[in-house]
Amino acid sequence: MMRCVLMMSALLVASACSGERGGRETSAEPSGAGASTAITSKPTIDPAAMLRHIEVLASDEFEGRGPGTKGEELTVAYLERELRSIGLEPGNTDGTYIQNVPLVGITATNTQPLTITSASTKQTFKWSDEVVAWTKHVADGAAITDSEMVFVGYGVTAPEFDWNDFKDIDVRGKTLVVLVNDPQIPAPDTPSRLDPKMFNGQAMTYYGRWTYKYEEAARRGAAGVLIVHETGPAGYPFSVVQGNLREKFDLVTPDKNMGRSSIEGWVALDAAKRIFKMAGQDFDALKERALTREFQPVPLGLRASLAIRNTMRTLDSRNVLARLPGSDPALADEYVIYTAHWDHLGVGAPVDGDRIYNGALDNASGVAKLLEIGRAFTTVEPKPRRSILFLLVTAEEQGLLGSQHYAVAPVYPLEKTLANINIDGVNQWGRTKDITVVGMGASDLDDYLREAATEQGRTLRPDPEPEKGFYYRSDHFNFAKQGVPALYTDTGEEYVGKPLEFSAQKRNEYTSRDYHAPSDEIKPDWDLTGAVDDAELLFLVGYRVANADRFPEWKPGNEFKAKRDEMLKRD
Ligand SMILES: [Zn+2]
């Protein structure tokens, strides 16, 4: 009862206590919606329940939910209890709600600075100021010694754009110098704009992300990789790159990451220009040449040496997972997976005397939304034909590690996984007329979302900052990378009854004040009515995909399509 009073005053949701939702939804829903969804008993999403979950998960007692801490113990126990009480089954085949995620924390020290030699000269580069490097090898250390250097342009192999920066060159044992971002190719008719047919124009593709450069170099057997840092194309200053010198967490993989290049790193732009000069090359001219399909790798006639020593500690963390078995025995071994990361930053440096990074929005709120979607699935009639997996992953804040672990060691085969729907944060400022789709146009899942949004009288809005590559920066990306179509939405921009500036203003307020800060806590002005609308949308998308006659696909031209096509051909 007390909660009802609180809900009405704090959230202005007069209908929350009755579990009914009034207003626009009823009137705006087209009469055919019931028939198209074939839902005979429609579940409701309860904002009060969502808020209650957030209050617990973001409480000081949970200590900011750092992996490997008391906060993890409390969080995992809470999630297990809630999932069981909702009526969802253990999600792991061993009968538990747990998937273990072994992590290793690595701190690198530079024992030999980057030293580059040409036939006649030798130069040494300053650690941290000019060079930031590490090794992913789970080992005492790693080094490159007199490794031949090659400039490989953007270091991209993209068959869908008929693009290969490596041509036939053998880079095994060599050290690659690579440009950041993907090739920025002007449109043939309007050179002031980027060609939308090449690397999605203005939007960043995965080929532009720094992680891709290291992965492609490893596939080709390179010993070292140095990315040239440029603030504009990277989207962040060198100081962000220097953050890599702190302890970095990684998964403990079976090969201890020995398949990765020995040395991965960045060089600051001025240092890179000096390296090219030593080779008798001009950086800007080479960069220009890298913008064409005809680009040929450039052996620099230089040799690089650098050594790193690792300090390591291991840490066991956990993904929490629950399942709703599909109602059709022929399809019950196929899955739709909802994800949300349960972890946040734990206890850290104090800000205004507060050391607990509560992570109320990031991502207690997403976990709460997932739990409510899970509850909706247990009450909907008819039950979905395929199974639904609710996966609460760890160590997102350490580099999407819990989701990566699931995606490379899945409990249920990825070729039988239809889609991933990821939730990171919720809309906490009231109803919106739209919903933002990060990476809009990537897959058929957008069509499901559009249909459901239309039924709510809402529209889809593309990500306003596609050049920042947000699609590659949350947990769904690990599914996409393995080929599974993945949907990631964000808060809409047009708030009902508010001026257009409202959303930008609230967003900036959150980013500057609360993002990854101890003040990410529940605020008195939170209004979860919009989050309820969004939860219903994501519920409907998953429900319909789970009942569909065919698997959702990547749209033609998408960088993950080839992987999916190959995967589905195999069985
Ligand atoms: Zn997050």
Side-chain angles (χ1 to χ4, degrees):
M1 237 26 223
M2 209 172 81
R3 183 158 308 281
C4 282
V5 174
L6 182 125
M7 286 299 299
M8 287 204 281
S9 59
L11 299 179
L12 306 172
V13 182
S15 58
C17 304
S18 66
E20 287 292 322
R21 302 186 41 246
R24 196 198 64 221
E25 184 208 42
T26 324
S27 56
E29 199 157 51
S31 54
S36 77
T37 61
I39 291 178
T40 52
S41 171
K42 195 177 172 198
T44 51
I45 303 286
D46 180 6
M50 273 174 63
L51 189 66
R52 195 176 64 237
H53 292 309
I54 302 170
E55 281 167 353
V56 175
L57 293 165
S59 65
D60 281 356
E61 189 194 350
F62 277 57
E63 294 185 351
R65 304 184 305 282
T69 68
K70 176 192 151 204
E72 164 158 352
E73 298 305 321
L74 291 172
T75 304
V76 168
Y78 180 80
L79 294 176
E80 261 195 78
R81 201 163 59 235
E82 289 301 312
L83 291 163
R84 188 177 285 120
S85 83
I86 286 168
L88 294 169
E89 295 184 0
N92 204 331
T93 47
D94 63 7
T96 71
Y97 288 91
I98 299 299
Q99 181 187 37
N100 289 314
V101 180
L103 300 176
V104 58
I106 303 183
T107 312
T109 27
N110 186 212
T111 48
Q112 186 196 341
L114 175 66
T115 306
I116 295 179
T117 52
S118 70
S120 53
T121 61
K122 174 171 164 176
Q123 282 199 48
T124 297
F125 295 81
K126 278 201 205 91
W127 184 248
S128 179
D129 287 351
E130 295 180 320
V131 186
V132 167
W134 59 87
T135 180
K136 287 251 179 189
H137 294 181
V138 182
D140 292 342
I144 45 174
T145 308
D146 286 328
S147 169
E148 243 180 82
M149 297 181 81
V150 188
F151 174 65
V152 293
Y154 288 90
V156 166
T157 314
E160 64 277 28
F161 300 115
D162 188 24
W163 193 281
N164 176 3
D165 283 326
F166 294 86
K167 302 298 184 292
D168 296 328
I169 195 175
D170 181 359
V171 298
R172 275 175 298 178
K174 295 179 184 167
T175 291
L176 310 183
V177 182
V178 195
L179 299 170
V180 72
N181 212 323
D182 53 28
Q184 309 282 293
I185 298 166
D189 42 349
T190 39
S192 58
R193 293 186 28 218
L194 294 179
D195 187 349
K197 290 202 185 70
M198 292 304 290
F199 299 97
N200 298 356
Q202 171 82 352
M204 188 189 273
T205 61
Y206 185 50
Y207 302 113
R209 293 281 294 160
W210 56 291
T211 49
Y212 168 81
K213 316 281 178 179
Y214 300 128
E215 287 161 5
E216 182 62 10
R219 278 189 283 272
R220 292 174 174 271
V225 194
L226 295 171
I227 300 175
V228 178
H229 178 265
E230 292 180 273
T231 301
Y236 41 79
F238 199 64
S239 59
V240 171
V241 169
Q242 289 168 326
N244 283 299
L245 295 178
R246 287 193 297 267
E247 182 179 42
K248 279 168 77 85
F249 282 88
D250 206 345
L251 294 173
V252 181
T253 57
D255 79 338
K256 307 232 184 268
N257 292 334
M258 296 312 272
R260 305 281 299 210
S261 301
S262 299
I263 298 291
E264 300 177 356
W266 293 79
V267 283
L269 182 57
D270 286 344
K273 286 183 172 172
R274 269 163 54 213
I275 294 172
F276 286 110
K277 209 166 179 184
M278 281 179 79
Q281 299 281 354
D282 176 62
F283 174 70
D284 295 310
L286 283 184
K287 205 177 150 185
E288 192 67 37
R289 269 158 69 185
L291 282 179
T292 65
R293 282 197 178 93
E294 290 70 40
F295 169 79
Q296 292 286 339
V298 181
L300 295 175
L302 304 174
R303 291 180 179 272
S305 300
L306 184 148
I308 277 166
R309 196 182 55 233
N310 281 336
T311 312
M312 293 185 287
R313 65 177 173 127
T314 55
L315 190 154
D316 289 313
S317 191
R318 284 160 286 180
N319 289 335
V320 182
L321 62 174
R323 71 190 271 271
L324 180 84
S327 62
D328 182 341
L331 298 177
D333 65 341
E334 296 179 347
Y335 282 82
V336 171
I337 303 184
Y338 286 88
T339 47
H341 71 89
W342 61 253
D343 68 297
H344 193 58
L345 301 169
V347 177
V351 177
D352 297 331
D354 187 358
R355 301 179 59 224
I356 300 173
Y357 288 66
N358 304 78
L361 191 72
D362 187 10
N363 185 30
S365 69
V367 170
K369 186 160 141 186
L370 182 143
L371 289 172
E372 268 303 280
I373 291 173
R375 199 177 57 77
F377 269 102
T378 62
T379 58
V380 67
E381 288 297 340
K383 293 273 171 282
R385 294 163 69 200
R386 293 187 179 84
S387 299
I388 314 288
L389 188 70
F390 300 93
L391 176 61
L392 296 141
V393 294
T394 183
E396 189 269 357
E397 305 286 6
Q398 323 281 356
L400 318 181
L401 297 178
S403 56
Q404 186 189 341
H405 181 72
Y406 185 92
V408 298
V411 175
Y412 306 99
L414 295 185
E415 59 265 31
K416 298 209 178 239
T417 302
L418 283 86
N420 169 237
I421 300 168
N422 184 48
I423 306 166
D424 198 348
V426 304
N427 169 9
Q428 75 277 43
W429 299 304
R431 287 181 140 166
T432 56
K433 297 178 193 166
D434 54 358
I435 182 165
T436 299
V437 185
V438 181
M440 188 144 111
S443 80
D444 296 344
L445 296 173
D446 291 359
D447 304 327
Y448 284 91
L449 186 69
R450 185 175 295 105
E451 184 189 333
T454 305
E455 290 162 17
Q456 278 190 345
R458 300 170 71 201
T459 54
L460 306 192
R461 172 184 291 267
D463 173 7
E465 300 174 304
E467 69 281 3
K468 291 198 176 162
F470 284 115
Y471 191 78
Y472 314 104
R473 292 161 69 171
S474 190
D475 291 302
H476 60 285
F477 170 59
N478 280 313
F479 287 89
K481 208 164 134 183
Q482 298 301 326
V484 177
L487 179 67
Y488 181 43
T489 59
D490 197 355
T491 298
E493 298 280 314
E494 283 183 74
Y495 280 84
V496 175
K498 301 269 169 45
L500 260 182
E501 313 83 76
F502 179 77
S503 82
Q505 181 199 320
K506 294 305 270 184
R507 195 186 295 267
N508 291 341
E509 189 180 290
Y510 170 75
T511 309
S512 60
R513 185 186 63 190
D514 301 328
Y515 175 70
H516 284 193
S519 61
D520 181 358
E521 294 172 332
I522 297 171
K523 299 289 188 319
D525 69 344
W526 275 25
D527 170 352
L528 297 181
T529 50
V532 168
D533 287 346
D534 293 350
E536 284 187 358
L537 282 185
L538 297 186
F539 163 79
L540 275 175
V541 170
Y543 182 80
R544 288 171 180 170
V545 170
N547 286 324
D549 294 330
R550 48 184 286 277
F551 278 37
E553 289 177 24
W554 295 106
K555 299 288 188 193
N558 182 276
E559 65 259 54
F560 309 113
K561 187 171 168 39
K563 183 119 187 182
R564 184 62 160 180
D565 291 349
E566 184 195 319
M567 179 197 295
L568 294 185
K569 222 176 292 157
R570 227 183 279 136
D571 72 62

